[in-house]
Amino acid sequence: MQSLTISQAAREAGMGVETIRFYERKGLIAQPPRPISGGARDYGGNTLWRLKFISGAKKLGFSLAEIADLLVLRTAPNAGCEAFQARARVKRDDIQGRIEGLTRMRSVLDKLIEACPGRGEIRQCSIVDAIEGKETD
Amino acid sequence: MQSLTISQAAREAGMGVETIRFYERKGLIAQPPRPISGGARDYGGNTLWRLKFISGAKKLGFSLAEIADLLVLRTAPNAGCEAFQARARVKRDDIQGRIEGLTRMRSVLDKLIEACPGRGEIRQCSIVDAIEGKETD
DNA sequence: CTTGACACCGTATCATGATACGGAGGGTAA
DNA sequence: TTACCCTCCGTATCATGATACGGTGTCAAG
């Protein structure tokens, strides 16, 4: 458990110094204690572990609020994996819903792009018609 | 061209009164003139048209900044539809990129959910392992 | 023993898209 | 005429996730 300054921890965890301070303010990580000798705080050990956890959970699509919850679960005594599986399922469904919404948008855009002559006056433009609610359906 | 109060226009355009004022502040719509007699401003006519345009463009995934640009294009004299098609293509690609990112996330989550025993200690949890960077790949 | 690089920490700003609040004023209906 | 609802407008707040700034302090090398 080497001790790390905030900028070293930031490099290790792949984020910026200001981001770490931001996570402190949000309560995702505790402000690590200053060493007995005073001076710079130690962002190694558990703090670095939490920063990496946050970074890993973000990659799976979890928000900071959700990550705060995951961190509580992870560090609870007698923690089991039911809760993690449940959170993952909820997140999967959330992402699935977002994909569906975006896919609908994409297919509408695809149809409009195909229907649009691509030149000439706006009166013939399917895209403008769609925006203005003049459905050509 | 009936005249409308702000709350009537909000109902027509499917948004809130405060949202209309927000769009005014953003410069997406001009503050409509007060009638000669004074009193409430008239949000009908062109203003309502713009509000509906904004609402329609939002449904296709355009941001407010992009919509501001679309409104300029739409109301330019001699406006053609090349520019609209180009904007639509860019937006389609943007959405496509977002779908790809989310799809990757979803498939990672799917694999992790399947690999997770769903009960028992966290040591066996594939989800926690993934978050913590202990790739089981 | 000075200079330079960090750390520390409070506060401000950004982007994005709204929503809420509060007080002044106007128009209508009982 | 007195409620009552709505408009108007400036300002504040929310959610989400950061990034930036400025002043002060500390440490280590030259």
Side-chain angles (χ1 to χ4, degrees):
Chain A
M1 280 217 211
Q2 55 194 328
S3 58
L4 298 175
T5 67
I6 193 169
S7 63
Q8 288 166 339
R11 204 164 26 251
E12 286 286 314
M15 56 183 67
V17 167
E18 299 299 336
T19 303
I20 293 178
R21 293 200 202 285
F22 171 69
Y23 291 158
E24 275 175 9
R25 289 193 300 270
K26 284 261 140 179
L28 288 172
I29 59 169
Q31 197 174 48
R34 289 172 187 273
I36 309 92
S37 55
R41 295 176 185 279
D42 176 12
Y43 284 82
N46 186 251
T47 302
L48 178 61
W49 175 82
R50 290 177 79 93
L51 292 172
K52 286 182 170 173
F53 187 100
I54 293 167
S55 171
K58 276 182 68 63
K59 283 180 193 141
L60 293 180
F62 291 101
S63 70
L64 295 185
E66 289 161 346
I67 292 169
D69 172 59
L70 291 176
L71 276 165
V72 169
L73 283 176
R74 177 64 181 85
T75 55
N78 309 322
C81 75
E82 297 87 348
F84 282 92
Q85 201 185 53
R87 300 303 189 286
R89 284 183 196 283
V90 168
K91 181 51 60 184
R92 198 214 88 100
D93 292 349
D94 163 24
I95 289 172
Q96 175 62 24
R98 285 195 265 158
I99 289 171
E100 281 165 14
L102 289 171
T103 301
R104 273 191 296 275
M105 263 185 199
R106 185 191 53 190
S107 66
V108 171
L109 283 168
D110 278 337
K111 276 177 205 135
L112 294 173
I113 290 165
E114 217 188 329
C116 170
R119 60 207 139 68
E121 283 195 24
I122 263 182
R123 299 179 182 286
Q124 269 79 46
C125 187
S126 56
I127 298 166
V128 171
D129 285 352
I131 291 174
E132 297 180 10
K134 291 158 199 148
E135 306 297 337
T136 324
D137 284 6
Chain B
M1 276 216 213
Q2 56 194 329
S3 59
L4 298 175
T5 66
I6 193 169
S7 63
Q8 287 165 342
R11 208 167 20 255
E12 286 287 314
M15 56 183 67
V17 168
E18 299 299 336
T19 304
I20 293 178
R21 293 201 200 286
F22 170 69
Y23 291 158
E24 275 175 11
R25 288 194 300 269
K26 284 261 140 180
L28 288 171
I29 59 170
Q31 198 172 48
R34 289 172 188 273
I36 309 93
S37 55
R41 295 175 186 281
D42 177 10
Y43 284 82
N46 187 252
T47 302
L48 179 60
W49 175 81
R50 290 177 77 93
L51 291 172
K52 286 181 171 173
F53 187 99
I54 293 166
S55 171
K58 275 182 67 64
K59 284 180 191 138
L60 294 181
F62 292 101
S63 71
L64 295 185
E66 289 160 347
I67 292 169
D69 172 59
L70 292 175
L71 277 164
V72 170
L73 284 176
R74 178 64 182 84
T75 56
N78 310 323
C81 74
E82 296 87 349
F84 283 92
Q85 200 185 54
R87 300 304 189 281
R89 285 183 195 282
V90 168
K91 180 51 60 184
R92 198 214 88 99
D93 292 348
D94 164 23
I95 289 171
Q96 176 62 24
R98 284 195 267 159
I99 288 171
E100 281 165 14
L102 289 171
T103 301
R104 272 192 295 277
M105 260 185 202
R106 185 190 54 188
S107 66
V108 171
L109 282 168
D110 278 337
K111 276 177 204 134
L112 294 175
I113 289 165
E114 218 190 328
C116 170
R119 60 205 139 69
E121 283 194 26
I122 265 180
R123 297 181 183 285
Q124 269 79 46
C125 188
S126 56
I127 299 167
V128 171
D129 284 353
I131 292 174
E132 297 180 10
K134 291 159 199 145
E135 308 297 337
T136 324
D137 285 5

